[in-house]
PDB file of all heavy atoms in Angstrom:
ATOM      1  N   ASP S  54     -31.893  45.297 -16.788  1.00 94.00           N
ATOM      2  CA  ASP S  54     -32.441  46.354 -17.668  1.00 94.00           C
ATOM      3  C   ASP S  54     -33.024  45.637 -18.935  1.00 94.00           C
ATOM      4  O   ASP S  54     -32.504  44.808 -19.516  1.00 94.00           O
ATOM      5  CB  ASP S  54     -31.269  47.168 -18.124  1.00 94.00           C
ATOM      6  CG  ASP S  54     -31.643  48.288 -18.959  1.00 94.00           C
ATOM      7  OD1 ASP S  54     -32.487  49.113 -18.568  1.00 94.00           O
ATOM      8  OD2 ASP S  54     -31.317  48.252 -20.190  1.00 94.00           O
ATOM      9  N   ILE S  55     -34.242  46.092 -19.090  1.00 93.00           N
ATOM     10  CA  ILE S  55     -35.064  45.403 -20.174  1.00 93.00           C
ATOM     11  C   ILE S  55     -34.389  45.639 -21.579  1.00 93.00           C
ATOM     12  O   ILE S  55     -34.467  44.806 -22.454  1.00 93.00           O
ATOM     13  CB  ILE S  55     -36.534  46.061 -20.285  1.00 93.00           C
ATOM     14  CG1 ILE S  55     -37.418  45.334 -21.398  1.00 93.00           C
ATOM     15  CG2 ILE S  55     -36.553  47.563 -20.482  1.00 93.00           C
ATOM     16  CD1 ILE S  55     -37.576  43.929 -21.122  1.00 93.00           C
ATOM     17  N   ASP S  56     -33.694  46.791 -21.732  1.00 95.00           N
ATOM     18  CA  ASP S  56     -33.025  47.015 -23.070  1.00 95.00           C
ATOM     19  C   ASP S  56     -31.885  46.004 -23.152  1.00 95.00           C
ATOM     20  O   ASP S  56     -31.629  45.554 -24.278  1.00 95.00           O
ATOM     21  CB  ASP S  56     -32.479  48.447 -23.110  1.00 95.00           C
ATOM     22  CG  ASP S  56     -33.683  49.433 -23.322  1.00 95.00           C
ATOM     23  OD1 ASP S  56     -34.685  49.134 -23.877  1.00 95.00           O
ATOM     24  OD2 ASP S  56     -33.549  50.587 -22.775  1.00 95.00           O
ATOM     25  N   THR S  57     -31.141  45.714 -22.075  1.00 94.00           N
ATOM     26  CA  THR S  57     -30.124  44.688 -22.095  1.00 94.00           C
ATOM     27  C   THR S  57     -30.610  43.378 -22.618  1.00 94.00           C
ATOM     28  O   THR S  57     -30.041  42.699 -23.325  1.00 94.00           O
ATOM     29  CB  THR S  57     -29.420  44.555 -20.747  1.00 94.00           C
ATOM     30  OG1 THR S  57     -28.868  45.865 -20.297  1.00 94.00           O
ATOM     31  CG2 THR S  57     -28.296  43.519 -20.752  1.00 94.00           C
ATOM     32  N   VAL S  58     -31.839  43.032 -22.051  1.00 94.00           N
ATOM     33  CA  VAL S  58     -32.439  41.714 -22.392  1.00 94.00           C
ATOM     34  C   VAL S  58     -32.877  41.643 -23.887  1.00 94.00           C
ATOM     35  O   VAL S  58     -32.638  40.741 -24.575  1.00 94.00           O
ATOM     36  CB  VAL S  58     -33.768  41.481 -21.463  1.00 94.00           C
ATOM     37  CG1 VAL S  58     -34.504  40.285 -21.986  1.00 94.00           C
ATOM     38  CG2 VAL S  58     -33.316  41.282 -20.062  1.00 94.00           C
ATOM     39  N   LYS S  59     -33.499  42.758 -24.268  1.00 95.00           N
ATOM     40  CA  LYS S  59     -33.830  42.859 -25.691  1.00 95.00           C
ATOM     41  C   LYS S  59     -32.679  42.707 -26.604  1.00 95.00           C
ATOM     42  O   LYS S  59     -32.731  42.113 -27.657  1.00 95.00           O
ATOM     43  CB  LYS S  59     -34.687  44.216 -26.013  1.00 95.00           C
ATOM     44  CG  LYS S  59     -36.021  44.197 -25.449  1.00 95.00           C
ATOM     45  CD  LYS S  59     -36.703  45.516 -25.719  1.00 95.00           C
ATOM     46  CE  LYS S  59     -38.101  45.514 -25.201  1.00 95.00           C
ATOM     47  NZ  LYS S  59     -38.787  46.746 -25.501  1.00 95.00           N
ATOM     48  N   LEU S  60     -31.610  43.495 -26.221  1.00 96.00           N
ATOM     49  CA  LEU S  60     -30.378  43.393 -27.197  1.00 96.00           C
ATOM     50  C   LEU S  60     -29.775  42.031 -27.170  1.00 96.00           C
ATOM     51  O   LEU S  60     -29.258  41.614 -28.234  1.00 96.00           O
ATOM     52  CB  LEU S  60     -29.337  44.502 -26.709  1.00 96.00           C
ATOM     53  CG  LEU S  60     -29.715  45.962 -27.048  1.00 96.00           C
ATOM     54  CD1 LEU S  60     -28.800  46.843 -26.352  1.00 96.00           C
ATOM     55  CD2 LEU S  60     -29.817  46.250 -28.549  1.00 96.00           C
ATOM     56  N   THR S  61     -29.675  41.502 -26.047  1.00 96.00           N
ATOM     57  CA  THR S  61     -29.096  40.098 -26.063  1.00 96.00           C
ATOM     58  C   THR S  61     -29.904  39.091 -26.815  1.00 96.00           C
ATOM     59  O   THR S  61     -29.288  38.264 -27.597  1.00 96.00           O
ATOM     60  CB  THR S  61     -29.028  39.662 -24.483  1.00 96.00           C
ATOM     61  OG1 THR S  61     -28.286  40.612 -23.767  1.00 96.00           O
ATOM     62  CG2 THR S  61     -28.321  38.212 -24.417  1.00 96.00           C
ATOM     63  N   PHE S  62     -31.176  39.078 -26.607  1.00 96.00           N
ATOM     64  CA  PHE S  62     -32.118  38.308 -27.452  1.00 96.00           C
ATOM     65  C   PHE S  62     -31.915  38.564 -28.916  1.00 96.00           C
ATOM     66  O   PHE S  62     -31.871  37.676 -29.800  1.00 96.00           O
ATOM     67  CB  PHE S  62     -33.533  38.254 -27.007  1.00 96.00           C
ATOM     68  CG  PHE S  62     -33.865  37.266 -25.906  1.00 96.00           C
ATOM     69  CD1 PHE S  62     -33.757  37.645 -24.577  1.00 96.00           C
ATOM     70  CD2 PHE S  62     -34.234  35.963 -26.248  1.00 96.00           C
ATOM     71  CE1 PHE S  62     -34.040  36.768 -23.580  1.00 96.00           C
ATOM     72  CE2 PHE S  62     -34.525  35.159 -25.211  1.00 96.00           C
ATOM     73  CZ  PHE S  62     -34.401  35.465 -23.914  1.00 96.00           C
ATOM     74  N   GLN S  63     -31.796  39.871 -29.206  1.00 96.00           N
ATOM     75  CA  GLN S  63     -31.746  40.195 -30.711  1.00 96.00           C
ATOM     76  C   GLN S  63     -30.411  39.777 -31.285  1.00 96.00           C
ATOM     77  O   GLN S  63     -30.412  39.291 -32.377  1.00 96.00           O
ATOM     78  CB  GLN S  63     -31.782  41.831 -30.721  1.00 96.00           C
ATOM     79  CG  GLN S  63     -31.879  42.309 -32.174  1.00 96.00           C
ATOM     80  CD  GLN S  63     -32.143  43.840 -32.121  1.00 96.00           C
ATOM     81  OE1 GLN S  63     -31.882  44.518 -31.071  1.00 96.00           O
ATOM     82  NE2 GLN S  63     -32.510  44.386 -33.199  1.00 96.00           N
ATOM     83  N   ARG S  64     -29.341  39.723 -30.457  1.00 96.00           N
ATOM     84  CA  ARG S  64     -28.090  39.159 -31.060  1.00 96.00           C
ATOM     85  C   ARG S  64     -28.169  37.739 -31.356  1.00 96.00           C
ATOM     86  O   ARG S  64     -27.462  37.273 -32.158  1.00 96.00           O
ATOM     87  CB  ARG S  64     -26.908  39.389 -29.955  1.00 96.00           C
ATOM     88  CG  ARG S  64     -26.237  40.549 -29.951  1.00 96.00           C
ATOM     89  CD  ARG S  64     -24.861  40.638 -29.097  1.00 96.00           C
ATOM     90  NE  ARG S  64     -24.867  39.603 -28.087  1.00 96.00           N
ATOM     91  CZ  ARG S  64     -24.998  39.946 -26.784  1.00 96.00           C
ATOM     92  NH1 ARG S  64     -25.365  41.126 -26.366  1.00 96.00           N
ATOM     93  NH2 ARG S  64     -24.880  38.943 -25.888  1.00 96.00           N
ATOM     94  N   HIS S  65     -29.177  37.071 -30.686  1.00 96.00           N
ATOM     95  CA  HIS S  65     -29.317  35.572 -30.988  1.00 96.00           C
ATOM     96  C   HIS S  65     -30.462  35.412 -32.075  1.00 96.00           C
ATOM     97  O   HIS S  65     -30.959  34.318 -32.196  1.00 96.00           O
ATOM     98  CB  HIS S  65     -29.689  34.880 -29.685  1.00 96.00           C
ATOM     99  CG  HIS S  65     -28.478  34.810 -28.948  1.00 96.00           C
ATOM    100  ND1 HIS S  65     -27.458  33.871 -28.817  1.00 96.00           N
ATOM    101  CD2 HIS S  65     -28.024  35.563 -27.791  1.00 96.00           C
ATOM    102  CE1 HIS S  65     -26.533  34.036 -27.940  1.00 96.00           C
ATOM    103  NE2 HIS S  65     -26.952  35.079 -27.233  1.00 96.00           N
ATOM    104  N   GLY S  66     -31.016  36.491 -32.643  1.00 96.00           N
ATOM    105  CA  GLY S  66     -32.009  36.355 -33.662  1.00 96.00           C
ATOM    106  C   GLY S  66     -33.426  36.388 -33.201  1.00 96.00           C
ATOM    107  O   GLY S  66     -34.321  35.958 -33.981  1.00 96.00           O
ATOM    108  N   PHE S  67     -33.633  36.823 -31.889  1.00 95.00           N
ATOM    109  CA  PHE S  67     -34.981  36.755 -31.389  1.00 95.00           C
ATOM    110  C   PHE S  67     -35.469  38.321 -31.131  1.00 95.00           C
ATOM    111  O   PHE S  67     -34.681  39.178 -30.829  1.00 95.00           O
ATOM    112  CB  PHE S  67     -35.161  36.150 -29.993  1.00 95.00           C
ATOM    113  CG  PHE S  67     -34.826  34.700 -30.094  1.00 95.00           C
ATOM    114  CD1 PHE S  67     -33.556  34.182 -29.908  1.00 95.00           C
ATOM    115  CD2 PHE S  67     -35.922  33.751 -30.380  1.00 95.00           C
ATOM    116  CE1 PHE S  67     -33.315  32.764 -29.944  1.00 95.00           C
ATOM    117  CE2 PHE S  67     -35.530  32.420 -30.458  1.00 95.00           C
ATOM    118  CZ  PHE S  67     -34.292  31.857 -30.228  1.00 95.00           C
TER     119      PHE S  67
END
Side-chain angles (χ1 to χ4, degrees):
D54 180 61
I55 183 66
D56 291 328
T57 301
V58 173
K59 286 181 177 181
L60 288 172
T61 303
F62 271 92
Q63 191 173 14
R64 273 199 332 267
H65 291 275
F67 296 94

